[in-house]
Amino acid sequence: MINPRTLAAGGLLAALIAVVALTVRKDGYVSDPVGLAWWYAACWALFAMAVFTVRKAPVRQAAVLIAAGGVAVAAMGLLAPPRTSTDSFRYAWDGRVQAAGISPYDHPPAAPELVKLRDDWLFPTGDACRLPERARIPGPEGELHCTRMNRPQVHTIYPPVAEGYFLLVHALSPDGSRHKGLQVGGVALAAGVTAAVLLVLRRRGDPRLAALWAWCPIVPIEAVNNAHVDVLGVLLAVAGLALVARRRRAAGGALLGAAVAAKLMPAVVLPGALAGVRRVRDAAAVLVPVAAVTAVAYLPYLLVSNSSVLGYLGGYTEEEGYDDPSARQRYALLRLVLPDDWALPALVVAMLAVVAHVLLRGDPERPWSGALAVTGAAFLLATPGYSWYALLLAALVALDGRWEWLAVAAAGAAKYVTGNSGADAQVMSATAYGLAAGIVLAAALARRAGRQARSGGVEGEGERAGPSSAVAGTLGRRSVSHRS
């Protein structure tokens, strides 16, 4: 018999699915960013209510609902072409270039050497080029040519495992499928993350926490609709951390290396993977496979490419302002209290402190906890402008259970979706991430106070009723928790 709390969670989940579908169908990123932001807010509000409710449902029923609901939520991203990002168009192009036997690192999309690979979908002409999101490229005299891709004059930035994924999706996708192959791949990868999180939590926590990833609005929007390859790195990172937690360090390190070679950002979870490690050989058991797999992944492209396999990476970091403390959307919280020139050094010092704490005090059986601390701190200090970066953060939150860090993901989404609203980038960034930082701090203090109160209560009970009563009380609470 289905528990009433499961039914309530299912009703909220159905509402979430409907609102996510409407949000994905709304094409307002350029024309109505404020209206789109309200749709995003509705998604996040329903998500919060659904997650809160499912935590009260029986574990087995909740796990089934989370898994099935996760697929349904993610599938809503299939209802429209990419709405708020053009990155997947470059993915499709890189897959096509590789299928033609050409290294994706050798030529930018606008290069004349690749003209023969162009089609009307990725390279429209005429009136279609008048849309503001189209990038102009050289064409025959008198003709207006453009592309759906951003930065068509620069080489690709994506690491080799991502490029292999693009090639695989291209090979498996039917002719004319356009963006759908990548979106379907996003559904599959997101479901894989849900399954991995459920498996980990079944052994080491509450499986109901998996809803924090499976139902999170960032998944259908960024992993599926915009088909960001970050979700591939998330899957590999989650699987790698799970193996490290079981002391299968070499296998875990290999998967973490593959994650780094998929999107680079998963490198921030490495301190978590090394948390509590005291012996050099144990650290080497993780780090050597990470380095080896990353190097092996790059090697084939290094052998066949005439240009640098790092592509536009250096130009991207400069363009995004990570090396410029005065960039208006970077280091927004640090710049509230420090001079601009101090922001980057302060970030480095703060991150070293967080990493050191994780390495020295972290729990080796819960490497995702330290990984979440490092990743969350990096987000709050750097205040990134792209919401899909937080896919990794959402998965770590689900593994660890500290839901407050999802406020950082919501801040990134708010900042990104309002980017065309005319609001001041620095003010928007500081406001969104400042609120997120406040939520994280408040929740951490409340959780600490709760632990102290429970600890005091147990000690008091033990003093009044004796040690055996205290132990019995603890066992009783565990039994109740198990039955739920």
Side-chain angles (χ1 to χ4, degrees):
M1 186 175 183
I2 300 178
N3 186 280
R5 291 172 176 174
T6 306
L7 290 174
L12 288 168
L13 175 61
L16 171 63
I17 291 170
V19 174
V20 167
L22 294 171
T23 303
V24 168
R25 296 283 295 175
K26 180 176 175 57
D27 189 13
Y29 179 58
V30 175
S31 60
D32 185 20
V34 175
L36 183 59
W38 281 111
W39 281 103
Y40 272 53
C43 290
W44 280 89
L46 283 168
F47 162 65
M49 289 188 288
V51 168
F52 177 80
T53 305
V54 82
R55 288 294 307 277
K56 305 294 183 179
V59 171
R60 290 183 180 179
Q61 293 181 11
V64 173
L65 184 63
I66 289 166
V71 174
V73 170
M76 294 305 100
L78 300 172
L79 296 178
R83 289 302 197 192
T84 59
S85 171
T86 59
D87 286 357
S88 63
F89 299 133
R90 175 68 78 121
Y91 304 169
W93 175 250
D94 282 3
R96 184 184 303 177
V97 169
Q98 293 178 87
I102 303 170
S103 170
Y105 299 106
D106 278 352
H107 307 285
E113 293 88 347
L114 303 181
V115 169
K116 62 182 179 181
L117 299 179
R118 295 181 185 178
D119 65 0
D120 293 338
W121 171 53
L122 288 177
F123 295 87
T125 59
D127 290 341
C129 291
R130 302 187 188 282
L131 296 174
E133 62 268 26
R134 301 286 190 263
R136 306 303 193 271
I137 59 173
E141 186 175 353
E143 293 186 18
L144 183 61
H145 281 235
C146 63
T147 179
R148 293 176 182 268
M149 287 175 272
N150 60 64
R151 304 177 181 89
Q153 306 290 350
V154 304
H155 293 237
T156 192
I157 192 176
Y158 300 104
V161 170
E163 291 293 345
Y165 171 70
F166 304 154
L167 177 59
L168 177 64
V169 171
H170 176 86
L172 296 178
S173 299
D175 292 340
S177 57
R178 298 187 173 186
H179 56 274
K180 283 301 179 187
L182 288 161
Q183 289 183 332
V184 170
V187 174
L189 292 172
V193 175
T194 300
V197 171
L198 280 169
L199 286 173
V200 170
L201 293 178
R202 185 180 177 183
R203 295 187 180 96
R204 296 179 177 272
D206 184 349
R208 292 169 292 194
L209 291 172
L212 292 167
W213 160 267
W215 299 352
C216 185
I218 197 175
V219 174
I221 292 172
E222 301 299 356
V224 181
N225 182 253
N226 290 324
H228 282 292
V229 74
D230 300 62
V231 68
L232 172 61
V234 172
L235 177 58
L236 293 168
V238 167
L241 290 174
L243 289 175
V244 169
R246 300 179 68 182
R247 297 191 179 183
R248 296 174 61 183
R249 294 187 176 95
L255 286 176
L256 292 175
V260 172
K263 197 58 198 293
L264 299 183
M265 180 174 286
V268 297
V269 309
L270 292 179
L274 299 175
V277 172
R278 296 291 181 264
R279 296 186 298 181
V280 173
R281 70 177 185 181
D282 290 338
V286 175
L287 295 178
V288 170
V290 169
V293 169
T294 303
V296 168
Y298 269 104
L299 183 59
Y301 289 97
L302 189 64
L303 294 175
V304 302
S305 300
N306 296 319
S307 298
S308 170
V309 293
L310 296 180
Y312 187 57
L313 181 60
Y316 176 80
T317 56
E318 181 178 354
E319 177 185 319
E320 291 298 314
Y322 286 106
D323 58 353
D324 180 7
S326 65
R328 294 190 62 76
Q329 60 179 355
R330 297 291 166 248
Y331 318 122
L333 297 184
L334 290 173
R335 291 171 62 200
L336 288 176
V337 295
L338 296 173
D340 287 352
D341 291 342
W342 291 17
L344 184 55
L347 179 145
V348 172
V349 171
M351 287 305 303
L352 288 175
V354 173
V355 168
H357 177 78
V358 167
L359 292 176
L360 295 174
R361 303 291 299 275
D363 184 352
E365 295 190 356
R366 295 179 59 85
W368 42 82
S369 183
L372 176 59
V374 175
T375 305
F379 272 72
L380 288 177
L381 293 170
T383 59
Y386 295 131
S387 53
W388 51 90
Y389 289 176
L391 284 165
L392 177 62
L393 187 70
L396 295 173
V397 167
L399 287 170
D400 191 62
R402 285 178 287 173
W403 58 265
E404 63 268 19
W405 284 103
L406 280 179
V408 179
K415 177 182 177 181
Y416 182 73
V417 77
T418 58
N420 294 315
S421 67
D424 185 278
Q426 183 178 358
V427 172
M428 188 64 210
S429 183
T431 301
Y433 280 106
L435 288 172
I439 291 172
V440 170
L441 179 60
L445 292 175
R447 186 174 287 111
R448 183 174 182 178
R451 284 198 302 267
Q452 291 176 343
R454 288 192 297 271
S455 175
V458 170
E459 290 174 0
E461 182 181 344
E463 290 172 357
R464 291 190 303 270
S468 60
S469 298
V471 172
T474 301
L475 292 175
R477 284 192 295 274
R478 287 178 180 174
S479 176
V480 170
S481 175
H482 179 73
R483 287 198 301 271
S484 66

